[in-house]
Amino acid sequence: MEITSVVIAVAGVAGTLGGAILTQRGSERVKRREIELVRGHEEIREHRVLRRTCYVELNRDARQFTTALNRHLHVMRERTVEDADRVALDEARNAHRDRYSEAQMIAPDEVLTRASAANKALSQVYGQVKRLERGEPEPGETMESAARAQNQVWDFLRAMRHAMRQDLGVE
């Protein structure tokens, strides 16, 4: 009888301890899942903030590059282009290039397709403006054709901005 009592007592203690251990392990698993879920949400939020910042800067710098091209065309019509004018245009171009390079690493394909089209249009206008400035235009390149091409860049920028807003869930 004593052995039976000892076995029952040991079984009771083992059951109590085992139940506590199982409860603790289950609780730890739930906590780990909660932590993973929170981390997943944080990563999604951080990625969205990163994309938003990139998009804001890309949109701003593309617009500023477009405006700088327009200003440069006006300068070319009104007076001799000076070094400060060239520097201003190249700074705007470089800022846009840097933002576009960043977007290539962050943006999804739909946004990148639109950004690429805008970048290509800006590069073409820049090339045309620089050739006109040097007095070495390609056939058909004039101040008027450059101004028209520069004005059409705004359509590419609108399409890019629309894709970025859709990606961010902005109506």
Side-chain angles (χ1 to χ4, degrees), residues 150-167:
Q150 183 276 329
N151 194 40
Q152 290 172 346
V153 168
W154 292 108
D155 294 333
F156 290 100
L157 297 184
R158 276 189 284 283
M160 179 183 74
R161 185 179 61 241
H162 178 73
M164 290 187 290
R165 289 172 58 89
Q166 278 189 319
D167 181 46

mmCIF file with all atom_site columns, all heavy atoms in Angstrom, residues 150-167:
data_model
loop_
_atom_site.group_PDB
_atom_site.id
_atom_site.type_symbol
_atom_site.label_atom_id
_atom_site.label_alt_id
_atom_site.label_comp_id
_atom_site.label_asym_id
_atom_site.label_entity_id
_atom_site.label_seq_id
_atom_site.pdbx_PDB_ins_code
_atom_site.Cartn_x
_atom_site.Cartn_y
_atom_site.Cartn_z
_atom_site.occupancy
_atom_site.B_iso_or_equiv
_atom_site.pdbx_formal_charge
_atom_site.auth_seq_id
_atom_site.auth_comp_id
_atom_site.auth_asym_id
_atom_site.auth_atom_id
_atom_site.pdbx_PDB_model_num
ATOM 1   N N   . GLN A 1 150 ? 9.833  68.698 -73.970 1.00 0.00 ? 150 GLN A N   1
ATOM 2   C CA  . GLN A 1 150 ? 9.897  68.996 -72.533 1.00 0.00 ? 150 GLN A CA  1
ATOM 3   C C   . GLN A 1 150 ? 8.495  69.091 -71.958 1.00 0.00 ? 150 GLN A C   1
ATOM 4   O O   . GLN A 1 150 ? 8.219  68.603 -70.869 1.00 0.00 ? 150 GLN A O   1
ATOM 5   C CB  . GLN A 1 150 ? 10.685 70.297 -72.303 1.00 0.00 ? 150 GLN A CB  1
ATOM 6   C CG  . GLN A 1 150 ? 10.890 70.680 -70.851 1.00 0.00 ? 150 GLN A CG  1
ATOM 7   C CD  . GLN A 1 150 ? 9.717  71.432 -70.266 1.00 0.00 ? 150 GLN A CD  1
ATOM 8   O OE1 . GLN A 1 150 ? 9.017  72.164 -70.972 1.00 0.00 ? 150 GLN A OE1 1
ATOM 9   N NE2 . GLN A 1 150 ? 9.480  71.236 -68.998 1.00 0.00 ? 150 GLN A NE2 1
ATOM 10  N N   . ASN A 1 151 ? 7.585  69.682 -72.678 1.00 0.00 ? 151 ASN A N   1
ATOM 11  C CA  . ASN A 1 151 ? 6.209  69.810 -72.204 1.00 0.00 ? 151 ASN A CA  1
ATOM 12  C C   . ASN A 1 151 ? 5.528  68.438 -72.104 1.00 0.00 ? 151 ASN A C   1
ATOM 13  O O   . ASN A 1 151 ? 4.715  68.206 -71.213 1.00 0.00 ? 151 ASN A O   1
ATOM 14  C CB  . ASN A 1 151 ? 5.418  70.742 -73.121 1.00 0.00 ? 151 ASN A CB  1
ATOM 15  C CG  . ASN A 1 151 ? 4.117  71.171 -72.506 1.00 0.00 ? 151 ASN A CG  1
ATOM 16  O OD1 . ASN A 1 151 ? 4.048  71.454 -71.318 1.00 0.00 ? 151 ASN A OD1 1
ATOM 17  N ND2 . ASN A 1 151 ? 3.074  71.216 -73.306 1.00 0.00 ? 151 ASN A ND2 1
ATOM 18  N N   . GLN A 1 152 ? 5.869  67.525 -73.000 1.00 0.00 ? 152 GLN A N   1
ATOM 19  C CA  . GLN A 1 152 ? 5.277  66.177 -72.972 1.00 0.00 ? 152 GLN A CA  1
ATOM 20  C C   . GLN A 1 152 ? 5.774  65.356 -71.794 1.00 0.00 ? 152 GLN A C   1
ATOM 21  O O   . GLN A 1 152 ? 5.129  64.381 -71.394 1.00 0.00 ? 152 GLN A O   1
ATOM 22  C CB  . GLN A 1 152 ? 5.573  65.452 -74.284 1.00 0.00 ? 152 GLN A CB  1
ATOM 23  C CG  . GLN A 1 152 ? 4.819  66.038 -75.464 1.00 0.00 ? 152 GLN A CG  1
ATOM 24  C CD  . GLN A 1 152 ? 5.266  65.432 -76.792 1.00 0.00 ? 152 GLN A CD  1
ATOM 25  O OE1 . GLN A 1 152 ? 6.290  64.770 -76.880 1.00 0.00 ? 152 GLN A OE1 1
ATOM 26  N NE2 . GLN A 1 152 ? 4.493  65.690 -77.834 1.00 0.00 ? 152 GLN A NE2 1
ATOM 27  N N   . VAL A 1 153 ? 6.893  65.739 -71.228 1.00 0.00 ? 153 VAL A N   1
ATOM 28  C CA  . VAL A 1 153 ? 7.421  65.016 -70.060 1.00 0.00 ? 153 VAL A CA  1
ATOM 29  C C   . VAL A 1 153 ? 6.402  65.034 -68.920 1.00 0.00 ? 153 VAL A C   1
ATOM 30  O O   . VAL A 1 153 ? 6.287  64.069 -68.176 1.00 0.00 ? 153 VAL A O   1
ATOM 31  C CB  . VAL A 1 153 ? 8.775  65.619 -69.600 1.00 0.00 ? 153 VAL A CB  1
ATOM 32  C CG1 . VAL A 1 153 ? 9.186  65.100 -68.242 1.00 0.00 ? 153 VAL A CG1 1
ATOM 33  C CG2 . VAL A 1 153 ? 9.860  65.318 -70.634 1.00 0.00 ? 153 VAL A CG2 1
ATOM 34  N N   . TRP A 1 154 ? 5.635  66.119 -68.821 1.00 0.00 ? 154 TRP A N   1
ATOM 35  C CA  . TRP A 1 154 ? 4.646  66.216 -67.744 1.00 0.00 ? 154 TRP A CA  1
ATOM 36  C C   . TRP A 1 154 ? 3.644  65.058 -67.790 1.00 0.00 ? 154 TRP A C   1
ATOM 37  O O   . TRP A 1 154 ? 3.194  64.582 -66.747 1.00 0.00 ? 154 TRP A O   1
ATOM 38  C CB  . TRP A 1 154 ? 3.929  67.561 -67.789 1.00 0.00 ? 154 TRP A CB  1
ATOM 39  C CG  . TRP A 1 154 ? 4.832  68.703 -67.436 1.00 0.00 ? 154 TRP A CG  1
ATOM 40  C CD1 . TRP A 1 154 ? 5.330  69.641 -68.294 1.00 0.00 ? 154 TRP A CD1 1
ATOM 41  C CD2 . TRP A 1 154 ? 5.380  69.007 -66.150 1.00 0.00 ? 154 TRP A CD2 1
ATOM 42  N NE1 . TRP A 1 154 ? 6.141  70.512 -67.609 1.00 0.00 ? 154 TRP A NE1 1
ATOM 43  C CE2 . TRP A 1 154 ? 6.191  70.154 -66.294 1.00 0.00 ? 154 TRP A CE2 1
ATOM 44  C CE3 . TRP A 1 154 ? 5.260  68.424 -64.896 1.00 0.00 ? 154 TRP A CE3 1
ATOM 45  C CZ2 . TRP A 1 154 ? 6.869  70.730 -65.225 1.00 0.00 ? 154 TRP A CZ2 1
ATOM 46  C CZ3 . TRP A 1 154 ? 5.945  69.001 -63.826 1.00 0.00 ? 154 TRP A CZ3 1
ATOM 47  C CH2 . TRP A 1 154 ? 6.740  70.139 -63.998 1.00 0.00 ? 154 TRP A CH2 1
ATOM 48  N N   . ASP A 1 155 ? 3.308  64.580 -68.987 1.00 0.00 ? 155 ASP A N   1
ATOM 49  C CA  . ASP A 1 155 ? 2.401  63.425 -69.096 1.00 0.00 ? 155 ASP A CA  1
ATOM 50  C C   . ASP A 1 155 ? 3.036  62.177 -68.479 1.00 0.00 ? 155 ASP A C   1
ATOM 51  O O   . ASP A 1 155 ? 2.369  61.405 -67.789 1.00 0.00 ? 155 ASP A O   1
ATOM 52  C CB  . ASP A 1 155 ? 2.035  63.160 -70.560 1.00 0.00 ? 155 ASP A CB  1
ATOM 53  C CG  . ASP A 1 155 ? 1.208  64.280 -71.173 1.00 0.00 ? 155 ASP A CG  1
ATOM 54  O OD1 . ASP A 1 155 ? 0.491  64.981 -70.418 1.00 0.00 ? 155 ASP A OD1 1
ATOM 55  O OD2 . ASP A 1 155 ? 1.287  64.454 -72.405 1.00 0.00 ? 155 ASP A OD2 1
ATOM 56  N N   . PHE A 1 156 ? 4.323  61.992 -68.723 1.00 0.00 ? 156 PHE A N   1
ATOM 57  C CA  . PHE A 1 156 ? 5.024  60.848 -68.143 1.00 0.00 ? 156 PHE A CA  1
ATOM 58  C C   . PHE A 1 156 ? 5.092  60.977 -66.617 1.00 0.00 ? 156 PHE A C   1
ATOM 59  O O   . PHE A 1 156 ? 4.959  59.981 -65.900 1.00 0.00 ? 156 PHE A O   1
ATOM 60  C CB  . PHE A 1 156 ? 6.444  60.728 -68.721 1.00 0.00 ? 156 PHE A CB  1
ATOM 61  C CG  . PHE A 1 156 ? 6.469  60.299 -70.153 1.00 0.00 ? 156 PHE A CG  1
ATOM 62  C CD1 . PHE A 1 156 ? 6.652  61.217 -71.176 1.00 0.00 ? 156 PHE A CD1 1
ATOM 63  C CD2 . PHE A 1 156 ? 6.312  58.954 -70.492 1.00 0.00 ? 156 PHE A CD2 1
ATOM 64  C CE1 . PHE A 1 156 ? 6.680  60.827 -72.497 1.00 0.00 ? 156 PHE A CE1 1
ATOM 65  C CE2 . PHE A 1 156 ? 6.337  58.544 -71.818 1.00 0.00 ? 156 PHE A CE2 1
ATOM 66  C CZ  . PHE A 1 156 ? 6.517  59.490 -72.826 1.00 0.00 ? 156 PHE A CZ  1
ATOM 67  N N   . LEU A 1 157 ? 5.296  62.186 -66.149 1.00 0.00 ? 157 LEU A N   1
ATOM 68  C CA  . LEU A 1 157 ? 5.358  62.408 -64.696 1.00 0.00 ? 157 LEU A CA  1
ATOM 69  C C   . LEU A 1 157 ? 4.000  62.153 -64.046 1.00 0.00 ? 157 LEU A C   1
ATOM 70  O O   . LEU A 1 157 ? 3.931  61.585 -62.950 1.00 0.00 ? 157 LEU A O   1
ATOM 71  C CB  . LEU A 1 157 ? 5.848  63.817 -64.378 1.00 0.00 ? 157 LEU A CB  1
ATOM 72  C CG  . LEU A 1 157 ? 7.262  64.165 -64.828 1.00 0.00 ? 157 LEU A CG  1
ATOM 73  C CD1 . LEU A 1 157 ? 7.651  65.557 -64.361 1.00 0.00 ? 157 LEU A CD1 1
ATOM 74  C CD2 . LEU A 1 157 ? 8.260  63.132 -64.347 1.00 0.00 ? 157 LEU A CD2 1
ATOM 75  N N   . ARG A 1 158 ? 2.917  62.550 -64.713 1.00 0.00 ? 158 ARG A N   1
ATOM 76  C CA  . ARG A 1 158 ? 1.579  62.272 -64.179 1.00 0.00 ? 158 ARG A CA  1
ATOM 77  C C   . ARG A 1 158 ? 1.328  60.767 -64.091 1.00 0.00 ? 158 ARG A C   1
ATOM 78  O O   . ARG A 1 158 ? 0.790  60.271 -63.100 1.00 0.00 ? 158 ARG A O   1
ATOM 79  C CB  . ARG A 1 158 ? 0.509  62.944 -65.041 1.00 0.00 ? 158 ARG A CB  1
ATOM 80  C CG  . ARG A 1 158 ? 0.252  64.393 -64.685 1.00 0.00 ? 158 ARG A CG  1
ATOM 81  C CD  . ARG A 1 158 ? -0.976 64.957 -65.409 1.00 0.00 ? 158 ARG A CD  1
ATOM 82  N NE  . ARG A 1 158 ? -0.727 65.257 -66.809 1.00 0.00 ? 158 ARG A NE  1
ATOM 83  C CZ  . ARG A 1 158 ? -0.066 66.327 -67.240 1.00 0.00 ? 158 ARG A CZ  1
ATOM 84  N NH1 . ARG A 1 158 ? 0.416  67.191 -66.388 1.00 0.00 ? 158 ARG A NH1 1
ATOM 85  N NH2 . ARG A 1 158 ? 0.106  66.536 -68.522 1.00 0.00 ? 158 ARG A NH2 1
ATOM 86  N N   . ALA A 1 159 ? 1.720  60.034 -65.122 1.00 0.00 ? 159 ALA A N   1
ATOM 87  C CA  . ALA A 1 159 ? 1.531  58.575 -65.116 1.00 0.00 ? 159 ALA A CA  1
ATOM 88  C C   . ALA A 1 159 ? 2.372  57.935 -64.018 1.00 0.00 ? 159 ALA A C   1
ATOM 89  O O   . ALA A 1 159 ? 1.909  57.011 -63.322 1.00 0.00 ? 159 ALA A O   1
ATOM 90  C CB  . ALA A 1 159 ? 1.901  57.999 -66.482 1.00 0.00 ? 159 ALA A CB  1
ATOM 91  N N   . MET A 1 160 ? 3.582  58.415 -63.831 1.00 0.00 ? 160 MET A N   1
ATOM 92  C CA  . MET A 1 160 ? 4.453  57.893 -62.773 1.00 0.00 ? 160 MET A CA  1
ATOM 93  C C   . MET A 1 160 ? 3.841  58.176 -61.398 1.00 0.00 ? 160 MET A C   1
ATOM 94  O O   . MET A 1 160 ? 3.763  57.290 -60.549 1.00 0.00 ? 160 MET A O   1
ATOM 95  C CB  . MET A 1 160 ? 5.842  58.534 -62.874 1.00 0.00 ? 160 MET A CB  1
ATOM 96  C CG  . MET A 1 160 ? 6.808  58.082 -61.803 1.00 0.00 ? 160 MET A CG  1
ATOM 97  S SD  . MET A 1 160 ? 8.422  58.922 -61.906 1.00 0.00 ? 160 MET A SD  1
ATOM 98  C CE  . MET A 1 160 ? 8.007  60.551 -61.291 1.00 0.00 ? 160 MET A CE  1
ATOM 99  N N   . ARG A 1 161 ? 3.390  59.403 -61.198 1.00 0.00 ? 161 ARG A N   1
ATOM 100 C CA  . ARG A 1 161 ? 2.792  59.774 -59.918 1.00 0.00 ? 161 ARG A CA  1
ATOM 101 C C   . ARG A 1 161 ? 1.540  58.938 -59.643 1.00 0.00 ? 161 ARG A C   1
ATOM 102 O O   . ARG A 1 161 ? 1.327  58.475 -58.521 1.00 0.00 ? 161 ARG A O   1
ATOM 103 C CB  . ARG A 1 161 ? 2.459  61.266 -59.911 1.00 0.00 ? 161 ARG A CB  1
ATOM 104 C CG  . ARG A 1 161 ? 1.935  61.762 -58.573 1.00 0.00 ? 161 ARG A CG  1
ATOM 105 C CD  . ARG A 1 161 ? 1.635  63.246 -58.580 1.00 0.00 ? 161 ARG A CD  1
ATOM 106 N NE  . ARG A 1 161 ? 0.607  63.567 -59.556 1.00 0.00 ? 161 ARG A NE  1
ATOM 107 C CZ  . ARG A 1 161 ? 0.774  64.382 -60.594 1.00 0.00 ? 161 ARG A CZ  1
ATOM 108 N NH1 . ARG A 1 161 ? 1.919  64.980 -60.803 1.00 0.00 ? 161 ARG A NH1 1
ATOM 109 N NH2 . ARG A 1 161 ? -0.226 64.606 -61.434 1.00 0.00 ? 161 ARG A NH2 1
ATOM 110 N N   . HIS A 1 162 ? 0.735  58.715 -60.668 1.00 0.00 ? 162 HIS A N   1
ATOM 111 C CA  . HIS A 1 162 ? -0.477 57.900 -60.502 1.00 0.00 ? 162 HIS A CA  1
ATOM 112 C C   . HIS A 1 162 ? -0.108 56.472 -60.053 1.00 0.00 ? 162 HIS A C   1
ATOM 113 O O   . HIS A 1 162 ? -0.734 55.926 -59.140 1.00 0.00 ? 162 HIS A O   1
ATOM 114 C CB  . HIS A 1 162 ? -1.269 57.869 -61.808 1.00 0.00 ? 162 HIS A CB  1
ATOM 115 C CG  . HIS A 1 162 ? -2.495 57.033 -61.745 1.00 0.00 ? 162 HIS A CG  1
ATOM 116 N ND1 . HIS A 1 162 ? -3.629 57.405 -61.060 1.00 0.00 ? 162 HIS A ND1 1
ATOM 117 C CD2 . HIS A 1 162 ? -2.755 55.793 -62.259 1.00 0.00 ? 162 HIS A CD2 1
ATOM 118 C CE1 . HIS A 1 162 ? -4.527 56.446 -61.157 1.00 0.00 ? 162 HIS A CE1 1
ATOM 119 N NE2 . HIS A 1 162 ? -4.025 55.465 -61.884 1.00 0.00 ? 162 HIS A NE2 1
ATOM 120 N N   . ALA A 1 163 ? 0.897  55.873 -60.682 1.00 0.00 ? 163 ALA A N   1
ATOM 121 C CA  . ALA A 1 163 ? 1.320  54.515 -60.312 1.00 0.00 ? 163 ALA A CA  1
ATOM 122 C C   . ALA A 1 163 ? 1.855  54.489 -58.880 1.00 0.00 ? 163 ALA A C   1
ATOM 123 O O   . ALA A 1 163 ? 1.582  53.544 -58.123 1.00 0.00 ? 163 ALA A O   1
ATOM 124 C CB  . ALA A 1 163 ? 2.380  54.013 -61.291 1.00 0.00 ? 163 ALA A CB  1
ATOM 125 N N   . MET A 1 164 ? 2.593  55.515 -58.488 1.00 0.00 ? 164 MET A N   1
ATOM 126 C CA  . MET A 1 164 ? 3.131  55.565 -57.127 1.00 0.00 ? 164 MET A CA  1
ATOM 127 C C   . MET A 1 164 ? 1.997  55.694 -56.117 1.00 0.00 ? 164 MET A C   1
ATOM 128 O O   . MET A 1 164 ? 2.000  55.016 -55.082 1.00 0.00 ? 164 MET A O   1
ATOM 129 C CB  . MET A 1 164 ? 4.124  56.729 -56.983 1.00 0.00 ? 164 MET A CB  1
ATOM 130 C CG  . MET A 1 164 ? 5.404  56.510 -57.748 1.00 0.00 ? 164 MET A CG  1
ATOM 131 S SD  . MET A 1 164 ? 6.702  57.742 -57.462 1.00 0.00 ? 164 MET A SD  1
ATOM 132 C CE  . MET A 1 164 ? 6.035  59.188 -58.239 1.00 0.00 ? 164 MET A CE  1
ATOM 133 N N   . ARG A 1 165 ? 1.035  56.536 -56.407 1.00 0.00 ? 165 ARG A N   1
ATOM 134 C CA  . ARG A 1 165 ? -0.098 56.714 -55.493 1.00 0.00 ? 165 ARG A CA  1
ATOM 135 C C   . ARG A 1 165 ? -0.904 55.414 -55.366 1.00 0.00 ? 165 ARG A C   1
ATOM 136 O O   . ARG A 1 165 ? -1.330 55.055 -54.273 1.00 0.00 ? 165 ARG A O   1
ATOM 137 C CB  . ARG A 1 165 ? -0.981 57.857 -55.956 1.00 0.00 ? 165 ARG A CB  1
ATOM 138 C CG  . ARG A 1 165 ? -0.324 59.238 -55.776 1.00 0.00 ? 165 ARG A CG  1
ATOM 139 C CD  . ARG A 1 165 ? -1.132 60.337 -56.429 1.00 0.00 ? 165 ARG A CD  1
ATOM 140 N NE  . ARG A 1 165 ? -2.492 60.416 -55.931 1.00 0.00 ? 165 ARG A NE  1
ATOM 141 C CZ  . ARG A 1 165 ? -2.898 61.142 -54.891 1.00 0.00 ? 165 ARG A CZ  1
ATOM 142 N NH1 . ARG A 1 165 ? -2.016 61.874 -54.242 1.00 0.00 ? 165 ARG A NH1 1
ATOM 143 N NH2 . ARG A 1 165 ? -4.159 61.148 -54.519 1.00 0.00 ? 165 ARG A NH2 1
ATOM 144 N N   . GLN A 1 166 ? -1.098 54.725 -56.489 1.00 0.00 ? 166 GLN A N   1
ATOM 145 C CA  . GLN A 1 166 ? -1.810 53.438 -56.422 1.00 0.00 ? 166 GLN A CA  1
ATOM 146 C C   . GLN A 1 166 ? -1.050 52.433 -55.565 1.00 0.00 ? 166 GLN A C   1
ATOM 147 O O   . GLN A 1 166 ? -1.647 51.715 -54.772 1.00 0.00 ? 166 GLN A O   1
ATOM 148 C CB  . GLN A 1 166 ? -2.013 52.873 -57.823 1.00 0.00 ? 166 GLN A CB  1
ATOM 149 C CG  . GLN A 1 166 ? -3.182 53.453 -58.549 1.00 0.00 ? 166 GLN A CG  1
ATOM 150 C CD  . GLN A 1 166 ? -3.459 52.688 -59.833 1.00 0.00 ? 166 GLN A CD  1
ATOM 151 O OE1 . GLN A 1 166 ? -2.549 52.317 -60.551 1.00 0.00 ? 166 GLN A OE1 1
ATOM 152 N NE2 . GLN A 1 166 ? -4.741 52.471 -60.113 1.00 0.00 ? 166 GLN A NE2 1
ATOM 153 N N   . ASP A 1 167 ? 0.263  52.383 -55.736 1.00 0.00 ? 167 ASP A N   1
ATOM 154 C CA  . ASP A 1 167 ? 1.065  51.460 -54.943 1.00 0.00 ? 167 ASP A CA  1
ATOM 155 C C   . ASP A 1 167 ? 0.959  51.757 -53.452 1.00 0.00 ? 167 ASP A C   1
ATOM 156 O O   . ASP A 1 167 ? 0.958  50.839 -52.630 1.00 0.00 ? 167 ASP A O   1
ATOM 157 C CB  . ASP A 1 167 ? 2.532  51.522 -55.381 1.00 0.00 ? 167 ASP A CB  1
ATOM 158 C CG  . ASP A 1 167 ? 3.406  50.559 -54.612 1.00 0.00 ? 167 ASP A CG  1
ATOM 159 O OD1 . ASP A 1 167 ? 3.003  49.376 -54.455 1.00 0.00 ? 167 ASP A OD1 1
ATOM 160 O OD2 . ASP A 1 167 ? 4.480  50.970 -54.134 1.00 0.00 ? 167 ASP A OD2 1
#
